[in-house]
Amino acid sequence: MTEENFDAIVIGAGMAGNAAAYTMSSRGMKVLQLERGEYPGSKNVQGAIMYADMLEKILPDFRDDAPLERHLVEQRFWMMDDSSHIGMQYRSDDFNESRPNRYTVIRAQFDKWFSRKVREAGATLLCETTVTELVRDPKGRVTGVRTDRAGDVILADVVVLAEGVNGLLGTRAGLRDTPKPETVALAVKEMHFLAEEVIDQRFGLKANEGCVIEAVGTISRNMAGLAFLYTNKESISIGIGCLVSEFAATMESPYDLLEKFKTHPSVKPLIAGSEVKEYAAHLIPEGGYKAIPQLFGDGWVVVGDAAQLNNAVHREGSNLAMTSGRIAGEAIVQIKNRKKPMVKEHLSLYKSMLENSFVIKDLRKYKDMPALLHTNSRNFFTTYPKLLSQAAQNFVRVDGTPKIDKERATTATFIKARSRWGLFGDAVRLARAWR
């Protein structure tokens, strides 16, 4: 393939890369997609929630044959201490609609399916191919890539970097900085296999209905972290993630955190008797709006996790990745149709279009939230869960203690917390960040 020319090269075959490659190839562009894994999805271990609206804009009929697990009818939010949880859940039969809004998917299967759609649209895919460097012309414009296939040079008008949060190509080329440990989370996950009817019974589900549990609290041992449990058809994805910087500072083991979550009294009955067939880890961008790097330049754009496009507050990543890939593809198609060169001036269209989408608007709205949660992690993930648990137990336990005494004890505990840990200040800062 030496010196072969393409309209575009897409590096990566995840959500963002597939969305970009499909958008361009389905509109007649000659696209090459390079994936270092054995097949698309082979290196993506995420058990994920997929949002229908974002995929419908790319593949309107995806429900016909996509490998979907369950459509979600119930969302549970838990705040946990070591022996209990206090939470909120929302369940609605409205989600049993003809075209559901959210599904659980297993990315190894889903990415392979998405890639097949990309190839059917006309793109060329090369797997087990690592891009070793970006090729530039004398003016510094990116004009292609060099791979580990005997050093082949492959030329293109534009290169789309969809290499993930820990991709080295963009950082080596000086297009973006290496992500800081405080802007990246490490999540570990296991797949627990159970019979479909057992999952239905334990979560109160029927047919293809699904439930998601997301939890915070003492399970992350003073670190900013989130645990999760997703129901698939015949398996449960269960995991937990915390910032890389906090793992480094505390020397806590991610596997130990997962074991603690799995054996918690609220979780253990849900996975009892299951067979574990997979354990894996992956990195997640957590820096939010302030961590977004330069998104475009002469001959290149960056999309998805590589661009730090993840909404940690709302636990949204795949939909931002798909949307950024689609918008990048649409911008590139427009530039090509106008017969303009793929230089920085014209590729700025991608950023403009992205800023007009929900992706940047949402990230900008919550730009202060990640820093607030991370810098006050002990309060939000240890102190307050314990306080809420103590208050709830005082309320529901009947042991002969006068109610007025219990109310005074609970009030005194919160007053002490307000003075010692800044409860009032944290509440004000949280409200401001949310606003």
Side-chain angles (χ1 to χ4, degrees):
M1 195 171 286
T2 302
E3 299 298 321
E4 186 167 354
N5 288 269
F6 289 86
D7 293 324
I9 294 173
V10 178
I11 302 171
M15 289 287 201
N18 281 334
Y22 182 87
T23 300
M24 293 185 289
S25 56
S26 64
R27 288 163 173 79
M29 290 185 64
K30 185 180 179 182
V31 177
L32 172 66
Q33 190 174 26
L34 301 173
E35 165 60 38
R36 64 189 178 91
E38 182 182 355
Y39 58 85
S42 64
K43 292 188 175 295
N44 198 322
V45 300
Q46 182 186 17
I49 297 176
M50 197 278 299
Y51 297 84
D53 181 72
M54 290 72 198
L55 186 56
E56 276 184 320
K57 287 181 169 61
I58 304 167
L59 291 160
D61 300 324
F62 76 89
R63 292 180 180 86
D64 292 345
D65 61 350
L68 307 172
E69 292 294 312
R70 293 174 180 258
H71 68 274
L72 298 174
V73 299
E74 182 174 336
Q75 176 84 41
R76 304 179 191 177
F77 300 96
W78 288 358
M79 186 168 279
M80 309 176 77
D81 68 4
D82 292 342
S83 60
S84 63
H85 78 267
I86 184 169
M88 177 186 74
Q89 66 186 66
Y90 178 72
R91 182 183 181 120
S92 175
D93 194 55
D94 291 345
F95 292 131
N96 283 314
E97 52 203 328
S98 59
R99 298 168 69 83
N101 173 254
R102 297 193 304 165
Y103 298 87
T104 52
V105 297
I106 297 173
R107 287 287 303 276
Q109 300 171 9
F110 185 86
D111 288 5
K112 188 183 293 186
W113 167 85
F114 201 169
S115 177
R116 177 166 57 83
K117 294 296 183 181
V118 173
R119 284 176 278 126
E120 289 173 356
T124 300
L125 171 68
L126 280 182
C127 292
E128 298 182 284
T129 303
T130 300
V131 178
T132 56
E133 66 174 311
L134 298 175
V135 176
R136 302 174 187 261
D137 66 13
K139 295 183 178 180
R141 173 183 168 185
V142 173
T143 58
V145 301
R146 190 183 303 275
T147 75
D148 59 353
R149 290 176 175 256
D152 281 356
V153 172
I154 310 172
L155 301 178
D157 296 334
V158 64
V159 174
V160 178
L161 286 91
E163 55 179 344
V165 64
N166 58 333
L168 298 177
L169 186 64
T171 56
R172 286 173 177 169
L175 306 184
R176 61 188 181 106
D177 294 332
T178 301
K180 298 178 181 178
E182 60 268 25
T183 66
V184 179
L186 173 63
V188 291
K189 184 203 76 173
E190 288 180 350
M191 294 289 286
H192 288 244
F193 285 79
L194 284 167
E196 184 174 355
E197 58 270 21
V198 174
I199 295 175
D200 290 346
Q201 181 181 26
R202 289 182 182 178
F203 291 88
L205 306 171
K206 63 180 186 297
N208 291 316
E209 293 177 342
C211 172
V212 166
I213 299 173
E214 294 174 323
V216 298
T218 61
I219 49 173
S220 59
R221 296 179 181 172
N222 296 330
M223 297 185 289
L226 177 76
F228 59 86
L229 187 154
Y230 303 152
T231 56
N232 305 311
K233 284 182 180 178
E234 296 181 329
S235 66
I236 293 173
S237 301
I238 184 168
I240 188 169
C242 297
L243 290 177
V244 170
S245 59
E246 298 197 348
F247 276 127
T250 63
M251 299 303 292
E252 290 281 1
S253 162
Y255 181 77
D256 287 345
L257 290 188
L258 180 55
E259 285 298 305
K260 182 179 181 182
F261 181 55
K262 287 162 46 184
T263 57
H264 190 280
S266 298
V267 176
K268 189 175 181 179
L270 299 177
I271 59 174
S274 62
E275 181 182 3
V276 183
K277 291 189 177 181
E278 179 183 297
Y279 172 82
H282 67 283
L283 294 174
I284 304 171
E286 293 278 336
Y289 180 78
K290 295 181 179 180
I292 297 175
Q294 176 69 27
L295 295 172
F296 63 95
D298 286 327
W300 62 272
V301 298
V302 59
V303 297
D305 282 2
Q308 288 276 334
L309 299 178
N310 179 66
N311 188 337
V313 177
H314 288 271
R315 294 90 50 218
E316 298 177 24
S318 295
N319 57 328
L320 276 68
M322 283 190 289
T323 301
S324 66
R326 173 181 61 82
I327 289 175
E330 291 173 349
I332 291 168
V333 169
Q334 287 189 39
I335 296 168
K336 179 175 174 59
N337 289 342
R338 295 170 187 167
K339 302 187 185 311
K340 299 290 186 180
M342 299 291 175
V343 294
K344 186 175 183 179
E345 175 188 359
H346 300 137
L347 287 170
S348 65
L349 176 63
Y350 162 51
K351 183 179 180 182
S352 298
M353 293 171 65
L354 197 64
E355 287 181 335
N356 287 326
S357 73
F358 78 94
V359 175
I360 298 299
K361 290 179 179 179
D362 284 357
L363 291 177
R364 184 184 291 118
K365 176 178 174 59
Y366 302 113
K367 64 181 183 298
D368 296 322
M369 188 70 76
L372 173 62
L373 295 176
H374 299 163
T375 56
N376 294 273
S377 59
R378 180 176 177 82
N379 289 0
F380 288 113
F381 297 94
T382 299
T383 303
Y384 302 151
K386 289 181 177 179
L387 287 175
L388 288 172
S389 176
Q390 186 176 351
Q393 187 158 155
N394 279 344
F395 180 78
V396 300
R397 183 184 288 274
V398 177
D399 55 6
T401 303
K403 299 297 186 293
I404 186 67
D405 292 346
K406 288 193 173 188
E407 291 169 2
R408 287 171 178 167
T410 299
T411 302
T413 300
F414 276 91
I415 290 174
K416 182 179 179 181
R418 184 181 66 181
S419 60
R420 182 174 178 182
W421 293 295
L423 176 62
F424 180 74
D426 277 344
V428 171
R429 286 189 290 271
L430 189 63
R432 286 175 177 171
W434 192 265
R435 185 184 67 232

